[in-house]
Amino acid sequence: VPTSPLQKALLAAGSAVMALYDPYRHDMVAVLGETTGCLALPNLRDKMKNHPEGYRILQERPRIRLSTLDMARLQGLPDGSLGREYVRFLEDNKVSPDTRMPPKFVDDEELAYVIQRYREVHDLMHTLLGMPTNMLGEVVVKWFEAIQTGLPMCVLGAALGPVRLSTRKLQVLATELVPWAIRSGLNASCILNVYYEQRWEQPVESLREELGIFPPP
């Protein structure tokens, strides 16, 4: 949907308010990511272009959807493999990769794919980081993604998401989870430069080590 800078600013402001009011409004979170990612998305695209695996992803444009996943095969992989743990995450948290909205407000077609790819690997970040989809888990993943991607939407979610947490969870977040997520985000190579569809058999621990993600506390 073609939009002017003013329209993008208004969409960003409105979606930010709604996303803060209800963090589970994925449509508003999506709009916020698209309308505020004008600097971060080209940077992510350049990182992909300068990496052999990331470049192949940009060229081949794989999608992570139920129509492209062989769920029976993934369920049959050994425990601890990326594919088996990813399916376990989807089942345990009752989520589907098909809920990721297609981008509407990114003018450049290649950048639109970059943000689509980011959305579709989000559940894989939960899998690699060992985080559930409750508010605590989402905040931790957002801290990691904020460091990794620089997307303002992730920064906002990381900074303001904790206001809904209890005092006990805030203590765990501040003393253990956020320091670990920040260290892992800074240490890890770019999460968009992994062709996850060709890594289903790889053990999660092996992929964490390859990327530079420290074991979850």
Side-chain angles (χ1 to χ4, degrees), residues 105-124:
F105 302 108
V106 180
D107 300 328
D108 182 273
E109 180 264 345
E110 193 171 44
L111 296 182
Y113 175 75
V114 172
I115 198 165
Q116 183 75 51
R117 183 66 175 175
Y118 156 74
R119 288 174 183 167
E120 292 184 358
V121 304
H122 175 75
D123 289 336
L124 283 158

Side-chain angles (χ1 to χ4, degrees), residues 153-179:
M153 170 198 66
C154 297
V155 176
L156 192 65
L160 299 181
V163 299
R164 293 172 175 265
L165 297 176
S166 66
T167 302
R168 184 181 66 82
K169 288 182 178 179
L170 279 173
Q171 184 177 8
V172 174
L173 186 72
T175 59
E176 295 183 38
L177 295 176
V178 166

